[in-house]
Amino acid sequence: MHFRASFCDPFKPDVIELGEIEKDKIIELFENTDWDGYSEKIKKNPTSAIHYSPSLEIENKDNRNGICISAIDETEFYIFFKRPKLRKYLFGFYNHMNTDYLTEIRDQTVEDVKECLIALMNNDLDFLENKIK
């Protein structure tokens, strides 16, 4: 599997593309992100200086499934799950493939985030579908 990473720095208007990342480096990248430092800097700056919550996105390039972790503070995170999904409308008569279908879950801990990243790395989409509805 091939993975890519990007990061949203709260104080920069453009997403920072980190490029390809090895599977065994994903957890390390999450752990080495200075979530505490960003949280402190956000508290000390006016909202007009902030473009995003600090966010790390990891995407499986082979199937376009991805996780985006967005920090509320140093201990609480949102987790977004992006994947292609066939959506049915009008009692199933019509369907549409949404290539960037997105769901989210909030109030997640560092351990929850690691659990979801490991599921993404192992392509355990059932786990992610059930956790992030």
Side-chain angles (χ1 to χ4, degrees), residues 16-71:
I16 301 165
E17 189 60 44
L18 302 174
E20 287 207 22
I21 183 169
E22 295 176 27
K23 180 179 176 178
D24 62 345
K25 300 289 185 188
I26 293 172
I27 298 293
E28 183 180 329
L29 176 62
F30 169 71
E31 291 176 334
N32 289 337
T33 300
D34 187 11
W35 302 108
D36 294 343
Y38 284 113
S39 180
E40 288 304 313
K41 283 173 70 176
I42 287 171
K43 291 175 190 172
K44 294 176 182 175
N45 280 277
T47 56
S48 61
I50 301 165
H51 297 279
Y52 311 98
S53 292
S55 303
L56 176 65
E57 181 182 16
I58 306 294
E59 181 184 53
N60 179 330
K61 290 173 55 174
D62 298 332
N63 60 17
R64 301 206 56 229
N65 293 298
I67 295 288
C68 182
I69 301 122
S70 186

Side-chain angles (χ1 to χ4, degrees), residues 72 75-79 105-110 112 131:
I72 304 304
T75 61
E76 182 184 349
F77 298 87
Y78 273 94
I79 303 173
I105 188 170
R106 55 188 298 184
D107 300 322
Q108 298 300 289
T109 66
V110 168
D112 291 319
K131 181 166 180 82

